[in-house]
Amino acid sequence: MSEVLSCRDLHKTFREGEDAVRVLRGVRLEVGEGEIVSIVGASGSGKSTLLHLLGGLDDATSGEVDVMGRPMHSLSDAERGNVRNRSLGFVYQFHHLMMEFTALENVAMPLFIRRVPSEEARAAAAEILGEVGLGERLDHTPGELSGGERQRAALARALVTRPACVLADEPTGNLDRHTAASVFELMLELNRSHRTSFVIVTHESALAARAHRSLRLQDGVLVAAS
């Protein structure tokens, strides 16, 4: 299994006045192609911080993150942005869809940013929206979609660039239990069909247990979830 994302000896310390708060204390993680890894942990344990570091959205105090073999710490901001756009997808607890655009336009946006021709971008967006069950909702704005449909659209947006790995931060956190289970099942299906890796932060232990590997962030390091 080839490695798509990894980190070694990852540390993150925040300053609060004169105090140093050590959130991550030497995290190590390797994510293989097509692997689903779930991460659980107490609120405030640093799960979102870890995802931000893995996605190149923040800098570690020390340690290394590699995405598709490229060391993020040695890249310029522009190069890091290019790696994010081409190799990673992001899904958050809140969908972050742009309310004035249709589902199709929202999902096509990462391709527009790449300067993919409009017709090609829209066709790719329509295809992935069909895969997540929104083929009949292409021209609806987020305000016309249910909570579950909005999160499905956000998932489609994360996958439209065919990334190697999707980083998902509490992707079902705002959904009721039934809808959350449906969205999580969809992620499993997309993993199987696209061979896309997922790193999923969740507080739902039952959902986390369905990943290929479940880890717990505890005392600043990752350990096997019991």
Side-chain angles (χ1 to χ4, degrees):
M1 182 187 298
S2 59
E3 197 174 89
V4 300
L5 175 67
S6 67
C7 69
R8 293 174 298 282
D9 198 26
L10 207 59
H11 291 256
K12 183 64 177 180
T13 300
F14 292 100
R15 289 281 174 185
E16 293 186 358
E18 296 183 356
D19 297 326
V21 180
R22 296 178 63 196
V23 178
L24 302 180
R25 301 169 178 252
V27 172
R28 181 183 182 90
L29 175 66
E30 295 87 25
V31 181
E33 180 185 1
E35 185 179 21
I36 302 176
V37 178
S38 65
I39 299 175
V40 297
S43 177
S45 61
K47 302 184 299 297
S48 294
T49 297
L50 176 57
L51 278 197
H52 288 164
L53 298 181
L54 293 175
L57 299 172
D58 193 10
D59 293 320
T61 304
S62 63
E64 298 180 1
V65 174
D66 287 358
V67 178
M68 299 301 290
R70 302 196 68 185
M72 297 292 272
H73 66 280
S74 67
L75 302 179
S76 68
D77 288 344
E79 290 172 326
R80 193 182 297 189
N82 186 54
V83 170
R84 276 197 301 268
N85 188 254
R86 294 188 176 276
S87 300
L88 298 175
F90 298 87
V91 181
Y92 300 98
Q93 183 171 345
F94 185 71
H95 55 78
H96 291 297
L97 299 172
M98 290 174 282
M99 301 301 287
E100 67 271 27
F101 293 104
T102 66
L104 183 70
E105 290 165 336
N106 267 286
V107 172
M109 201 62 68
L111 298 176
F112 293 154
I113 292 171
R114 276 196 198 182
R115 302 188 185 280
V116 172
S118 178
E119 185 175 343
E120 181 181 341
R122 289 172 180 273
E127 180 181 354
I128 193 68
L129 280 164
E131 287 189 52
V132 302
L134 296 178
E136 303 299 318
R137 311 282 273 168
L138 303 183
D139 296 324
H140 289 68
T141 63
E144 299 171 314
L145 302 176
S146 69
E149 288 172 334
R150 291 176 187 176
Q151 203 63 337
R152 285 170 177 262
L155 186 56
R157 181 183 55 194
L159 287 164
V160 73
T161 59
R162 307 293 179 179
C165 185
V166 169
L167 304 176
D169 191 358
E170 297 282 6
T172 61
N174 277 343
L175 306 176
D176 64 72
R177 181 161 302 207
H178 174 76
T179 306
S182 173
V183 169
F184 199 89
E185 182 61 38
L186 177 61
M187 287 191 282
L188 298 180
E189 292 174 10
L190 292 166
N191 161 260
R192 289 189 289 267
S193 60
H194 289 268
R195 294 293 296 163
T196 303
S197 303
F198 282 81
V199 178
I200 304 171
V201 163
T202 179
H203 66 278
E204 295 281 354
S205 57
L207 297 182
R210 301 183 66 190
H212 300 147
R213 187 158 47 109
S214 187
L215 304 173
R216 178 176 297 278
L217 187 57
Q218 181 175 302
D219 299 324
V221 297
L222 287 173
V223 299
S226 55

